[in-house]
Amino acid sequence: MRLKDKRLNILEYFYIPPILKGMGITLRHFFSRKVTVQYPKVKKEIYPRFRGAHRLEKNEQGREKCVACELCATVCPSKAITIEAAESPDPEVEKYPLRYEINVLRCIFCGFCVEACPKEAIAMTDRYELADYSREALVYNKEMLLK
Amino acid sequence: MPKLVIDGREISVPEGTTILRAAERLGIEIPHLCYHPKLPPVGLCRLCLVEVEKNPKLQASCSTPVAEGMVIHTESERVLKARRGVLEFLMLNHPPDCTICDKAGECKPQEYVFQCGIAESRFIETKRVNPPQDFGDKLVFRVDRCILCQRCVQFCREIAGMEELGVFNRGGRSVIGTFRGKPVENKYSGNMIDICPTGAITSRDFRFKSRVWNLTMVPSICPRCSNGCNIFIEFKDNKILRIRPRDNEQVNQCWICDEGRFGHHFVNSLDRLTTPLIKNGGKLSPTSWEEALGRAAEGLGRVIANYGAESLGGIGSAWCTNEDDYVFQKFLREVVRTGNIDLGKIREEKDESYPGNDFLIQPEKAPNRRGAEEMGISPGEDCRDREGMFKEAAGGKIKAFLIIGSNPAKETGAREALAKVEFLVVQDLFLTDTAKQADVVLPAASYAEKEGSFTNFRGRVQWLNRALRPRGEARPDWKIICELANRMGGDFSYPGAQEILKEIAEKIPAYREVSLEKLRADGILISTK
């Protein structure tokens, strides 16, 4: 079977009406409410359950709540968390994380670590501007996470 | 043989078997905490209660022997309710601190509570607090986690041979403790870490090193003495973190001694040799394998060419596998053509601190003396033994030594003899006194980093599996010897230790029954001489 081209009529032949139609849409949006945000001068509102960079929580004494149970590291699907546990210098606490590192480059911000934590020691903040100049700087250590 | 029915399934077992054991045979696991197959049943934890028809009360299955015609239910509603209740009672004073407990993940109460689905405690009173106790530098005792199953007390009395633990006070105030607060000192105390069903007794050595589910287990053989206990090497990130016993009824049942359990740190040691070293102007400096092997082959070849094969001596090792030693003696006998082969000195230590402490520990502190001798690490006819070799070296007749895995420089006269030889090649894990005198030092892989077999003092041949990547550039001893042999005109092309084992089975009559499958199972007892 042969396909026949549809013959254009005279109006279609000059492309004028389609151009006018397109310009009309453009002009309508030109005067309607804008959806783009002038980032970074203007920032969008962050919702309360937004999952940004992690933070380690502190207890009343100002020490980390974390007891190095490694449940966050165990549940982490991208193996971004490294914990080295040790005997705590605080006589009231038995175990504490000597080293607690989150490799933000590996992290997929799923929030499983927050869910798994039995001590509510890790939370996710609304901080999302995480770019840096080196890979090393993106492995957050305990001190950075406690800030 | 009484016949009985457990959960609707019939079985007949020998007279005197307990219900728990009979159920085990059917593959039914009755939860239990105080019962341990190697210890006498005490019936303390009450968790193994089962329903025996026509019996008004539930029976403790760990201590009730079977009788003809018994009908037993292990999963009936009554049993489950009782089990739940008992478990709740056992957990009354047990702290919910699984997050920081080293036992978590291999903890029986944790498992049972999870199975029963108890999520919350109804106990609102304050938990019992007992004063902390010191169990010495091998064990950490957390008295609040103890559920008083008395396995540890039983173990000290029945297995370790030294009654060091006891139950003090009565009723709700009962507490496990040492007599007069003395530390636990028996040579097998580490086993209490394994048999304690809770985290009350944990290892000081492994404390907080890793959560147990992150460890990889590889079956192996303990190298600390000639008993050849079966072990699991448990490691993470290419580092051994702990050693645990592996069941083998023929060798160590389910126990190991503390030396084997805690004596693995040499593998992870930072002092290990990581690259070959060669002596340049009186000083050892790191180099490549290519250069070191070339230098070793050239040096040994020169001595053989100048003074004959008889001027070369080889010292094998009781720390090396059968495969290493076989290749080593084959190299000396077939490539070098010398019979000056002997075994390095083995440290012997008979400990008589208390009777019964030798139920596993052997005085011979090397894993494979017997295997090495049977592989042919012994002087040939008209050839020198170790002392003879050193005497001749001191007299200037022996000009070169190839020493693997031993440190004779500690022996009298050997240091002077070694200083006199023209060429010395040493293969070892560490820069020993002997290695410091060597012209070429080759880094060897430790027992955890290679495959092979050990023959224990009774003649049981058992297989070692490779757990770790060798430290640095270290290589298994047999591989190094093969490379050396190929550079000196031999043709040693073994793809792996398993092929060497096959050759051993063909060449050495006592080992003809040996095969990898048998060695991997329980090992095989070779025909005695």
Side-chain angles (χ1 to χ4, degrees):
Chain A
M1 197 179 85
R2 285 188 68 189
L3 285 172
K4 257 194 235 165
D5 287 341
K6 191 192 160 211
R7 294 295 298 264
L8 300 175
N9 62 30
I10 190 79
L11 283 174
E12 283 166 339
Y13 191 78
F14 286 104
Y15 292 104
I16 302 287
I19 288 172
L20 289 177
K21 203 173 154 194
M23 289 298 284
I25 293 170
T26 309
L27 280 168
R28 197 169 76 237
H29 281 284
F30 196 79
F31 294 107
S32 62
R33 198 173 65 86
K34 290 166 191 65
V35 288
T36 43
V37 173
Q38 292 304 307
Y39 181 82
K41 279 183 196 151
V42 184
K43 281 175 185 170
K44 273 186 91 172
E45 184 198 348
I46 302 285
Y47 294 97
R49 291 172 67 182
F50 182 83
R51 302 194 297 265
H54 310 74
R55 176 182 69 212
L56 284 178
E57 303 281 12
K58 291 178 191 171
N59 60 11
E60 297 83 51
Q61 285 91 43
R63 277 222 167 82
E64 66 276 331
K65 278 187 183 174
C66 176
V67 295
C69 71
E70 291 186 36
L71 286 187
C72 50
T74 304
V75 79
C76 181
S78 53
K79 303 243 175 297
I81 305 178
T82 314
I83 298 170
E84 197 182 303
E87 201 111 17
S88 171
D90 184 349
E92 308 232 321
V93 186
E94 209 174 319
K95 193 180 179 185
Y96 88 119
L98 186 70
R99 198 160 69 92
Y100 190 109
E101 282 176 7
I102 298 181
N103 187 342
V104 184
L105 292 166
R106 299 200 67 150
C107 178
I108 56 164
F109 299 93
C110 64
F112 280 8
C113 47
V114 180
E115 246 179 90
C117 183
K119 299 281 174 192
E120 293 182 346
I122 188 167
M124 288 181 119
T125 61
D126 52 12
R127 205 160 65 81
Y128 56 86
E129 289 161 318
L130 307 174
D132 215 310
Y133 292 101
S134 72
R135 286 172 177 274
E136 290 72 35
L138 285 162
V139 178
Y140 292 173
N141 61 26
K142 195 173 89 178
E143 286 65 42
M144 291 158 85
L145 289 163
L146 276 168
K147 253 179 218 161
Chain B
M1 295 254 285
K3 234 188 221 168
L4 66 155
V5 178
I6 305 176
D7 287 349
R9 286 158 74 192
E10 205 168 279
I11 188 178
S12 57
V13 289
E15 192 94 33
T17 313
T18 58
I19 297 173
L20 194 131
R21 286 273 187 135
E24 237 168 42
R25 282 198 181 186
L26 282 171
I28 298 166
E29 203 210 318
I30 301 171
H32 58 269
L33 292 172
C34 68
Y35 169 78
H36 188 277
K38 295 288 169 211
L39 300 171
V42 282
L44 273 165
C45 72
R46 313 310 291 174
L47 196 63
C48 65
L49 294 178
V50 291
E51 191 176 349
V52 181
E53 268 182 27
K54 293 182 194 146
N55 210 320
K57 280 182 171 180
L58 299 179
Q59 298 292 309
S61 63
C62 70
S63 49
T64 312
V66 295
E68 182 64 44
M70 261 187 177
V71 180
I72 295 155
H73 302 283
T74 71
E75 295 285 320
S76 71
E77 206 154 299
R78 240 179 108 200
V79 173
L80 290 181
K81 199 179 162 208
R83 195 177 290 161
R84 234 184 121 94
V86 168
L87 206 51
E88 208 174 344
F89 271 126
L90 285 171
M91 291 298 111
L92 280 189
N93 286 303
H94 189 86
D97 61 352
C98 304
T99 47
I100 57 158
C101 179
D102 273 343
K103 194 80 180 181
E106 50 185 17
C107 169
K108 279 287 169 188
Q110 193 184 33
E111 214 170 278
Y112 296 148
V113 168
F114 188 74
Q115 273 172 19
C116 281
I118 309 171
E120 303 245 325
S121 173
R122 287 184 283 169
F123 191 64
I124 48 164
E125 290 77 9
T126 46
K127 298 211 172 205
R128 181 181 58 202
V129 179
N130 279 315
Q133 283 209 45
D134 188 17
F135 269 23
D137 50 5
K138 287 184 274 193
L139 308 176
V140 178
F141 183 56
R142 278 284 310 271
V143 65
D144 47 344
R145 288 187 193 144
C146 177
I147 55 162
L148 291 160
C149 71
Q150 297 189 23
R151 270 189 186 181
C152 51
V153 179
Q154 296 272 343
F155 172 81
C156 282
R157 185 185 302 141
E158 306 286 336
I159 310 285
M162 203 157 140
E163 210 166 333
E164 289 180 290
L165 295 178
V167 189
F168 298 90
N169 303 334
R170 317 190 82 195
R173 287 189 194 81
S174 298
V175 57
I176 301 279
T178 56
F179 297 107
R180 292 188 182 173
K182 271 197 337 193
V184 179
E185 272 171 343
N186 72 64
K187 303 272 188 267
Y188 299 91
S189 63
N191 291 302
M192 289 189 270
I193 301 160
D194 296 333
I195 63 169
C196 178
T198 71
I201 299 177
T202 50
S203 164
R204 179 129 10 226
D205 184 56
F206 179 64
R207 191 162 163 83
F208 303 155
K209 288 277 159 63
S210 165
R211 303 315 309 257
V212 294
W213 55 82
N214 291 331
L215 298 171
T216 315
M217 286 159 78
V218 166
S220 188
I221 304 298
C222 178
R224 302 295 301 200
C225 78
S226 59
N227 196 50
C229 292
N230 290 218
I231 55 166
F232 279 115
I233 297 176
E234 302 195 4
F235 63 98
K236 193 177 93 173
D237 300 338
N238 210 39
K239 253 180 107 173
I240 298 184
L241 290 182
R242 66 173 180 180
I243 301 287
R244 287 212 301 162
R246 179 161 59 95
D247 289 8
N248 188 336
E249 281 305 310
Q250 318 297 325
V251 182
N252 56 317
Q253 296 174 3
C254 59
W255 318 112
I256 52 169
C257 71
D258 288 351
E259 206 179 315
R261 186 183 295 268
F262 304 124
H264 59 80
H265 293 281
F266 72 94
V267 177
N268 298 340
S269 168
L270 291 175
D271 298 336
R272 285 274 302 274
L273 289 168
T274 52
T275 55
L277 308 171
I278 52 171
K279 196 163 261 177
N280 277 332
K283 247 185 83 184
L284 285 167
S285 51
T287 183
S288 68
W289 271 104
E290 207 51 42
E291 202 183 338
L293 285 166
R295 172 80 74 92
E298 180 247 325
L300 294 174
R302 198 180 57 231
V303 169
I304 299 166
N306 289 350
Y307 310 99
E310 288 306 300
S311 62
L312 200 137
I315 292 180
S317 172
W319 274 79
C320 288
T321 61
N322 287 331
E323 289 70 17
D324 294 333
D325 280 326
Y326 175 80
V327 171
F328 176 71
Q329 63 85 29
K330 188 178 168 186
F331 163 67
L332 288 170
R333 292 210 159 91
E334 292 181 11
V335 179
V336 178
R337 295 184 188 285
T338 179
N340 295 334
I341 307 168
D342 204 359
L343 203 54
K345 197 173 187 180
I346 298 161
R347 187 165 61 92
E348 297 229 4
E349 204 173 82
K350 186 116 182 84
D351 183 8
E352 278 159 358
S353 52
Y354 67 94
N357 75 3
D358 54 353
F359 100 96
L360 291 178
I361 304 169
Q362 295 301 319
E364 215 168 66
K365 299 296 176 204
N368 198 31
R369 193 261 315 150
R370 182 165 172 170
E373 277 172 11
E374 283 166 346
M375 289 304 119
I377 304 288
S378 53
E381 252 175 72
D382 295 332
C383 292
R384 256 48 69 198
D385 63 358
R386 188 175 70 242
E387 277 165 21
M389 279 192 265
F390 288 135
K391 225 173 257 166
E392 293 213 333
K397 264 182 95 182
I398 282 188
K399 297 285 188 189
F401 270 111
L402 174 57
I403 298 176
I404 67 171
S406 69
N407 185 14
K410 286 185 293 190
E411 293 166 43
T412 46
R415 182 188 286 271
E416 294 71 42
L418 289 172
K420 272 195 147 182
V421 295
E422 263 190 46
F423 200 71
L424 177 60
V425 181
V426 174
Q427 242 168 265
D428 212 317
L429 264 57
F430 296 96
L431 195 64
T432 58
D433 290 343
T434 313
K436 278 179 193 152
Q437 291 187 300
D439 295 282
V440 180
V441 182
L442 304 168
S446 71
Y447 80 106
E449 297 156 352
K450 62 183 174 191
E451 284 193 312
S453 59
F454 281 157
T455 309
N456 81 352
F457 79 107
R458 284 199 181 87
R460 181 167 291 277
V461 192
Q462 304 181 100
W463 189 253
L464 290 144
N465 290 296
R466 197 189 114 158
L468 312 178
R469 290 189 306 278
R471 172 64 66 91
E473 291 175 34
R475 292 180 185 178
D477 289 284
W478 64 266
K479 228 175 205 165
I480 304 173
I481 300 288
C482 285
E483 296 261 358
L484 198 57
N486 290 342
R487 278 175 173 73
M488 293 177 70
D491 180 22
F492 283 30
S493 51
Y494 301 103
Q498 301 175 11
E499 282 71 21
I500 307 174
L501 184 75
K502 267 183 206 146
E503 190 173 316
I504 290 171
E506 282 164 23
K507 293 272 172 70
I508 297 170
Y511 283 69
R512 65 180 174 274
E513 305 268 306
V514 162
S515 73
L516 190 62
E517 293 72 44
K518 286 186 201 159
L519 298 196
R520 277 217 169 122
D522 269 1
I524 179 170
L525 204 61
I526 53 161
S527 40
T528 42
K529 279 183 238 171

